[in-house]
Amino acid sequence: MSATHRPNPEINLPLHVANLVCVRAGKAMPFTRDEMSAIDKAPIAAPVAVNFMGLTTDEQADRKHHGGPLKAVHQLPTATYEKINTEFDLKVRIGTLGENLTTEAVNGLPEMDESNVCIGDVYQYGGQYGDDKINGEGSVQLRIVQPRRPCYKINDQIGQFTKVPNIAAWVSKQGISGWYFQVVRDGIINADLPVYLIERPYPFATLETLWQLSNSKEKFDAEVIEPWLAIECLEASWKKVLNKKMKKSSVQ
């Protein structure tokens, strides 16, 4: 079975999938090319408010390409660092690449990564689970709306300390750049909170598959692409990319 048709098994929700082990925010600082950047994120010790624009203590220097309601919060699997460090023989530390949230799997489940999170997934950070219900008062709810597109700032961030080729292109090809959340419900977030998957409307729509479709040199039948175009919350630029991947003969 091709990766573009790999099924995502049905699961019973809500499901405690992880614990939040670190929350990070950054301040805009002088960066490379005479620019400012807040890509370097430091752990936050105290609880922090989250609204539709993200963590209230987090900054983005380039508001045109970073931040905003459809890039409010960024999560990146720690495995991305392991893969980069192994591939390029580096020691890039967690938090270097701009992520706000770091989680750790629980109950024998796999770590949250691009192979098992989906566009449209809603995760709740905080609250208590019992009797098949979650008491989520004060907790934050976040929806995955797009992967992160690696940009030259990843190259510059790592390249400040090493002479490495185009890491951003490699990360993009691997599809391991994490994802952006839209804030569904404002609240307070801090480390050590449980993370619950509470909605999965599009179980076929893993980020891994989205990257494979987007990076492919092939064209696909409408039956492969159209379900993605019907995902209301998928950020528009990704739909534009996918639409170009559909065979012309399949377009009505």
Side-chain angles (χ1 to χ4, degrees), residues 105-247:
V106 297
N107 303 325
L109 295 171
E111 297 286 352
M112 293 173 67
D113 66 19
E114 292 83 1
S115 71
N116 58 45
V117 303
C118 302
I119 297 296
D121 281 0
V122 177
Y123 292 87
Q124 179 172 297
Y125 292 73
Q128 295 181 331
Y129 175 70
D131 299 325
D132 296 326
K133 295 181 180 180
I134 291 179
N135 177 5
E137 185 175 352
S139 61
V140 174
Q141 291 183 356
L142 306 174
R143 177 184 289 115
I144 297 178
V145 292
Q146 61 180 317
R148 177 192 182 174
R149 284 190 177 95
C151 69
Y152 71 89
K153 288 188 177 180
I154 287 181
N155 295 333
D156 288 358
Q157 172 75 330
I158 297 176
Q160 292 181 83
F161 315 106
T162 63
K163 293 182 179 180
V164 176
N166 191 343
I167 288 181
W170 182 84
V171 169
S172 180
K173 185 176 180 180
Q174 301 297 315
I176 54 172
S177 56
W179 51 89
Y180 283 118
F181 289 110
Q182 175 187 45
V183 177
V184 176
R185 187 171 70 192
D186 297 0
I188 305 295
I189 203 166
N190 57 271
D192 301 321
L193 292 177
V195 181
Y196 302 101
L197 173 59
I198 62 173
E199 294 181 23
R200 172 159 287 173
Y202 309 106
F204 69 89
T206 67
L207 270 66
E208 179 182 60
T209 303
L210 177 54
W211 273 113
Q212 290 173 345
L213 290 171
S214 300
N215 288 335
S216 176
K217 295 179 180 179
E218 300 178 27
K219 297 283 187 176
F220 299 92
D221 292 335
E223 63 182 15
V224 174
I225 299 299
E226 287 180 344
W228 290 88
L229 303 182
I231 299 176
E232 184 176 355
C233 65
L234 177 60
E235 193 271 335
S237 67
W238 288 91
K239 291 185 178 182
K240 186 176 181 180
V241 170
L242 290 173
N243 195 48
K244 292 180 180 179
K245 298 294 182 179
M246 189 157 54
K247 292 179 181 178

Side-chain angles (χ1 to χ4, degrees), residues 24-41:
R24 292 180 171 83
K27 298 293 183 182
M29 304 285 289
F31 194 56
T32 60
R33 313 185 193 204
D34 295 323
E35 296 181 350
M36 301 284 284
S37 178
I39 191 172
D40 206 11
K41 306 294 185 184

